[in-house]
Amino acid sequence: MVDFSRRQALAATAGAAALAAAASSTRAAARPAAAPPVPALPAVDLAPRERLSLDFDWRFKLGHAQDPARDFGFGANQGTYAKAGRTAAPAELDFDAGAWAPVTLPHDWAVELPFVDNPAYVPSGKPDDGDPRAAHGYKPLGREFPETSIGWYRKTFALPAADAGKRLSIEFDGAFRDALVIVNGYILEREDSGYSPFRVDITDIANVGGDNSLVVRVDASLGEGWFYEGAGLYRHVWLVKTAPVHVPQWGVFVRARVDGTLSIDTDLVNEGEARAEFELLHTVLDAAGRPVLTPAAAPGRLPAWERQSLSLTVTLPRPVPWTLENPHLYSLVTEVKVGGAVVDRYVTRFGVRSVVFDADKGFLLNGASVKLKGTCNHQDHAGVGAAIPDALQVWRLEQLKSMGCNAYRASHNPPTPELLDACDRLGIVVIDETRRMSSDPTSMDELERLVRRDRNHPSVILWSIGNEEPQQATARGAKVAATMKRLVNRLDPSRLVIAAMDQGFGEGISAVIDVQGFNYRHEKMDDFHARFPHVPVIGTESASTVSTRGEYARDDAKAYVPAYDTEHPWWATTAEKWWSHAADRPWMAGGFIWTGFDYRGEPTPFNRWPSVSSHFGALDTCGFPKDNYYYYRAWWRPEPLLHLLPHWNWEGREGQPIAVWAHSNCDKVELFLNGKSQGVRDVVPNHHVEWSVPYAPGVIEAHGYKAGKVILRERRETAGPAAALRLTADRSRVAADGQDVAILKVEVLDAKGRSVPRADDLISFTLSGPGQVIGVGNGDPTSHEPDVASQRKAFNGLAQAIVRTRRGQAGELRVTASAPGLKASTVSVAVGD
Ligand code: GAL
């Protein structure tokens, strides 16, 4: 849990703050080969099953946590449950929500709220004292903000007469949090968890052949974590229609062995009045959609209102393994026939791979040793908060991959399922984590839903049952962990269990978990390994340099920290110290840095207003790389790389020493200032090289040598004043589905086209065509500008806009970025199928 007592302690490594630095760049470093496009999965027609998006045409309005009169009458006179079907005004079918805001899911209302200082907070002066509201990113959520902590979502949907006799349900991928689901006035579900998926059967109260009202009251007064968590229906919602005899949610579990043996467990339910004679058929499709295996149909009989499990073991011919380089995905299509007719189809994606953790060899994927080059991440992004569109989810993972990252820890909660789909397709392995380490029925139920939902993903390699839990080193903790592990093992005998510990290594839950997770404290790993030579070890949270993109001196007023790899909280260390330690120990499986991306809340190291985002990321909240991104890329990817920092605009610092660093995997690097050599440095693997250079305007240029030859050059030039903008899009074509997004980057350039490293011009976005700017950002961890806006200041020369398409509207999106006095820039993105 959150430990404010250590949040403000910062171990500033000697000299960093003094080493101010600079410069604009002409980049010459080798780039990794362009990431292959995410392979499309074969489309499978699920008819007669239907799974329809309910993401569109919602209306949204804030309610009130204390006053029923301002909460649509909800709870007035304790009347909520008195008569089923009467709940609150918006639940009535004829309620007029015309004045409510139209929204499309995913939607996070917290991101639209202003940042609010905490006037009640008085620093105690103790070095460890942090403002508790900082943890959640200074958004007005919580019991002290009753007027902004309750959100009402409402939509209507029609069900055709042809749905008579079908089983109807609504599946929520997750809602933050305490969601009350009301359909046609009936309260059907109350889900506390802000991260767990849940399903609501609406068959009994649905108006088939008519309109239905769906209302969700979401209460974000309480949080679950110590970081920004968002608020609202921030994940997808689905309407599912099946025949009475069908595969229930998450009803198929495939375990695939590398020799091609498939164990397929299928659950079937009969939610009808008649006994069913059925046939169960499976077909395995390869990644290209070709059928590669069709086992014989299994006949059976299912009495009314019963559930049955059927197991089958078959062998896949010539299995293609799922690897990080070629994440081959199979699709298992399960068909249920009753009376000779197909009544249900269900698809399960899976991969064929083996995962082994070995105390001496580390992590083995398909028998080969793979060092886990992982990042921990929360689930928020600039502009959109927790409501990350699927395409942005993929884009974020691609940025991590481009850094060389091959592993993702979903800290500290079940991720949205689309994240795991993307990891399956991109070849990234995942530690999948439950939110609460407790064996109470609710926590166990959340854990069960996590495992059932995610156990087919080849990307998932470990189940994490907890993170730095207070009871981690106790006998009680061990009992709780054992109960949780028993459940996990029953639901998924194929994967091991881990927990992320920060103390008591070897005690308490250590005796229960299969793989020992170390949060920081890497200096204790050797001792642990010697004491427990049979226990595999992973750095579940490692490194944790705090840095602000493009800043090279500490600025306490603005709450910025230098982007050299020098500053870290006392419990953590630098990228270089962590990775040189990990790389030297083949027995260790590797680890997960804290964090891949900056995230809102936990604005370490300041933990006080005006700082609103963390500084931990190798990339900022927009996904713009910081300098440490290049440290990792140099040592996590095979391509030669040379990155130079800082920028070279140090007006007023002429003659003063500037620390110049290079992150490079070359043999040697030589630095030149305005053509004059500043010396050659030998590169020690997993370390940076540096010089101290008296500032003079002009050019610094680094030459990277391999086997005595210059193979890379990298420059930073003193840029002139801002003159123009350059707007680019991540893709030239996006889908007209109302969900796809283009991610736009704006760079501020001088008259010669060089990046202006400190530019903070206010950039406006105008758009024509079928789309909408849904969020903007700039990666500044102290910015209080609105995220849902059509303008944003640049931060150190960069800003971002996220543009979403409109459903069913093809055409061309033209977005122009403009700023006073600067040449504007326009980008076009085709919108189509
Ligand atoms: C860890 C914790 C993370 C985050 C991190 C910040 O102790 O597990 O959630 O708070 O510290 O350094």
Side-chain angles (χ1 to χ4, degrees):
M1 295 300 293
V2 66
D3 172 8
F4 293 111
S5 63
R6 35 160 253 195
R7 288 297 185 261
Q8 241 182 357
L10 185 88
T13 310
L19 304 177
S24 95
S25 74
T26 309
R27 221 160 255 294
R31 295 285 165 257
V38 187
L41 294 174
V44 176
D45 183 2
L46 295 180
R49 171 184 286 258
E50 289 177 80
R51 189 163 194 262
L52 309 169
S53 170
L54 285 185
D55 286 348
F56 296 95
D57 304 322
W58 288 84
R59 294 281 174 160
F60 173 78
K61 184 95 178 128
L62 289 173
H64 201 283
Q66 287 165 5
D67 180 359
R70 287 187 278 169
D71 205 30
F72 306 102
F74 176 74
N77 303 316
Q78 292 186 296
T80 309
Y81 294 95
K83 281 284 179 203
R86 303 269 164 75
T87 313
E92 302 298 324
L93 197 51
D94 57 3
F95 179 82
D96 181 7
W100 293 22
V103 297
T104 299
L105 308 186
H107 174 252
D108 171 5
W109 87 73
V111 82
E112 296 171 41
L113 298 175
F115 294 95
V116 175
D117 192 3
N118 180 9
Y121 170 67
V122 182
S124 73
K126 291 191 210 132
D128 284 349
D129 190 19
D131 179 353
R133 289 214 61 85
H136 294 269
Y138 286 112
K139 289 290 180 167
L141 293 174
R143 291 199 157 156
E144 49 299 33
F145 298 104
E147 54 294 274
T148 44
S149 296
I150 304 288
W152 285 81
Y153 290 84
R154 184 180 193 280
K155 77 175 264 117
T156 56
F157 61 97
L159 291 169
D163 285 347
K166 291 184 185 166
R167 300 303 301 179
L168 305 168
S169 60
I170 299 177
E171 293 180 1
F172 292 82
D173 285 352
F176 200 88
R177 67 178 294 281
D178 195 353
L180 199 70
V181 181
I182 311 167
V183 180
N184 293 334
Y186 287 75
I187 295 178
L188 294 187
E189 186 62 271
R190 178 169 196 157
E191 173 63 46
D192 265 7
S193 165
Y195 300 100
S196 294
F198 58 101
R199 173 180 170 272
V200 181
D201 189 314
I202 64 166
T203 312
D204 289 350
I205 48 74
N207 293 325
V208 173
D211 285 332
N212 295 267
S213 76
L214 166 59
V215 171
V216 190
R217 180 182 185 270
V218 182
D219 183 348
S221 300
L222 296 178
E224 297 182 37
W226 49 99
F227 37 87
Y228 175 88
E229 301 183 280
L233 297 182
Y234 72 99
R235 293 184 180 178
H236 296 302
V237 180
W238 308 92
L239 173 63
V240 178
K241 305 177 184 180
T242 68
V245 178
H246 63 272
V247 177
Q249 187 183 33
W250 314 318
V252 176
F253 179 30
V254 186
R255 272 167 294 157
R257 291 160 53 133
V258 279
D259 65 0
T261 312
L262 302 184
S263 307
I264 306 173
D265 298 332
T266 310
D267 285 357
L268 273 187
V269 288
N270 181 356
E271 294 178 338
E273 303 301 340
R275 188 181 73 176
E277 313 282 337
F278 68 83
E279 268 189 306
L280 183 66
L281 297 94
H282 294 292
T283 307
V284 179
L285 310 178
D286 68 9
R290 288 178 299 242
V292 288
L293 178 68
T294 312
R301 175 178 298 174
L302 196 51
W305 299 105
E306 289 214 357
R307 184 179 181 118
Q308 226 174 69
S309 293
L310 298 101
S311 296
L312 179 72
T313 303
V314 286
T315 306
L316 196 58
R318 295 175 298 286
V320 180
W322 184 91
T323 64
L324 299 184
E325 300 73 31
N326 176 28
H328 186 101
L329 287 175
Y330 288 97
S331 305
L332 173 71
V333 182
T334 303
E335 288 177 323
V336 186
K337 280 188 181 173
V338 174
V342 175
V343 296
D344 194 21
R345 278 199 181 86
Y346 190 90
V347 66
T348 309
R349 316 283 186 186
F350 69 94
V352 176
R353 92 286 185 271
S354 76
V355 160
V356 169
F357 287 90
D358 184 286
D360 294 322
K361 297 185 193 143
F363 170 62
L364 306 170
L365 183 65
N366 304 321
S369 167
V370 173
K371 198 85 170 180
L372 294 172
K373 299 163 178 168
T375 62
C376 296
N377 292 288
H378 286 314
Q379 49 172 28
D380 73 273
H381 190 90
V384 295
I388 301 184
D390 298 348
L392 179 57
Q393 203 78 261
V394 171
W395 183 86
R396 282 165 59 89
L397 291 167
E398 284 170 345
Q399 307 317 299
L400 295 176
K401 259 203 109 155
S402 74
M403 182 168 82
C405 170
N406 61 14
Y408 188 101
R409 175 171 171 227
S411 47
H412 304 293
N413 48 262
T416 195
E418 289 73 22
L419 178 110
L420 297 179
D421 292 343
C423 289
D424 285 349
R425 292 161 66 197
L426 289 165
I428 296 175
V429 296
V430 176
I431 296 184
D432 206 358
E433 186 159 304
T434 196
R435 178 68 287 282
R436 292 194 281 183
M437 189 179 128
S438 177
S439 50
D440 65 88
T442 309
S443 303
M444 293 291 277
D445 180 48
E446 288 177 14
L447 179 61
E448 173 154 0
R449 279 181 274 164
L450 173 76
V451 177
R452 282 190 185 278
R453 185 193 71 173
D454 295 345
R455 59 190 174 171
N456 290 306
H457 287 281
S459 56
V460 174
I461 55 167
L462 283 169
W463 302 111
S464 168
I465 57 168
N467 177 72
E468 297 187 359
E469 301 297 329
Q471 69 271 29
Q472 62 192 334
T474 65
R476 176 194 287 162
K479 283 194 250 173
V480 168
T483 301
M484 296 177 80
K485 188 179 164 198
R486 205 176 307 124
L487 174 68
V488 172
N489 289 165
R490 178 168 64 74
L491 297 169
D492 176 16
S494 71
R495 290 181 183 84
L496 301 181
V497 167
I498 191 171
M501 295 175 66
D502 65 335
Q503 50 176 290
F505 306 102
E507 297 163 35
I509 65 173
S510 276
V512 177
I513 54 182
D514 304 305
V515 178
Q516 178 65 51
F518 270 78
N519 279 8
Y520 316 101
R521 285 97 189 163
H522 67 250
E523 67 287 351
K524 296 193 171 168
M525 286 176 173
D526 288 351
D527 174 57
F528 180 90
H529 184 53
R531 284 165 55 218
F532 303 94
H534 304 300
V535 179
V537 170
I538 289 188
T540 30
E541 273 177 44
S542 310
S544 227
T545 306
V546 281
S547 65
T548 312
R549 178 180 56 74
E551 295 292 324
Y552 297 96
R554 187 172 169 115
D555 182 332
D556 283 316
K558 288 190 180 152
Y560 295 149
V561 256
Y564 297 102
D565 184 24
T566 48
E567 300 211 18
H568 58 81
W570 63 259
W571 57 89
T573 186
T574 59
E576 191 167 305
K577 285 211 177 107
W578 153 245
W579 190 249
S580 51
H581 174 92
D584 275 359
R585 287 166 176 73
W587 54 268
M588 207 226 299
F592 297 75
I593 62 165
W594 189 268
T595 47
F597 297 95
D598 282 349
Y599 53 93
R600 291 153 202 267
E602 260 200 333
T604 315
F606 301 96
N607 289 310
R608 55 163 172 76
W609 188 263
S611 188
V612 294
S613 296
S614 87
H615 291 68
F616 292 118
L619 303 102
D620 69 17
T621 50
C622 292
F624 294 134
K626 302 186 198 172
D627 295 296
N628 263 14
Y629 163 99
Y630 295 97
Y631 168 78
Y632 288 112
R633 199 160 100 174
W635 302 110
W636 283 5
R637 292 191 64 115
E639 304 86 356
L641 181 127
L642 176 57
H643 173 77
L644 193 57
L645 64 146
H647 59 73
W648 207 241
N649 272 69
W650 296 102
E651 297 78 7
R653 302 270 317 262
E654 284 75 6
Q656 294 176 26
I658 306 287
V660 176
W661 285 33
H663 292 306
S664 178
N665 49 17
C666 293
D667 301 338
K668 294 174 190 296
V669 180
E670 183 168 14
L671 182 74
F672 298 86
L673 168 65
N674 294 329
K676 185 161 177 267
S677 177
Q678 306 294 304
V680 182
R681 302 280 185 269
D682 289 333
V683 178
V684 177
N686 303 307
H687 291 73
H688 75 283
V689 288
E690 68 176 273
W691 300 258
S692 177
V693 179
Y695 178 64
V699 184
I700 49 171
E701 181 166 311
H703 292 182
Y705 294 85
K706 266 258 181 229
K709 288 211 173 75
V710 177
I711 59 158
L712 291 172
R713 290 189 166 85
E714 171 84 341
R715 291 157 68 86
R716 299 283 179 166
E717 277 181 65
T718 309
L725 299 177
R726 177 162 62 205
L727 182 64
T728 46
D730 66 318
R731 286 181 297 157
S732 55
R733 188 175 191 87
V734 289
D737 60 2
Q739 292 275 358
D740 204 0
V741 290
I743 297 141
L744 309 186
K745 174 182 176 187
V746 194
E747 297 161 90
V748 182
L749 308 176
D750 73 359
K752 292 190 171 162
R754 298 173 295 204
S755 304
V756 182
R758 306 304 305 271
D760 62 356
D761 302 79
L762 180 61
I763 296 159
S764 299
F765 299 95
T766 49
L767 179 149
S768 68
Q772 172 194 6
V773 175
I774 58 166
V776 293
N778 61 13
D780 177 357
T782 311
S783 172
H784 299 164
E785 293 168 277
D787 281 272
V788 182
S790 55
Q791 61 175 38
R792 186 70 172 218
K793 283 171 91 169
F795 175 60
N796 289 336
L798 298 175
Q800 183 174 70
I802 301 166
V803 175
R804 189 172 62 203
T805 60
R806 295 190 192 284
R807 191 163 50 140
Q809 293 183 31
E812 189 194 13
L813 274 173
R814 284 180 68 77
V815 186
T816 299
S818 53
L822 306 188
K823 189 163 175 286
S825 176
T826 298
V827 72
S828 285
V829 179
V831 184
D833 296 328

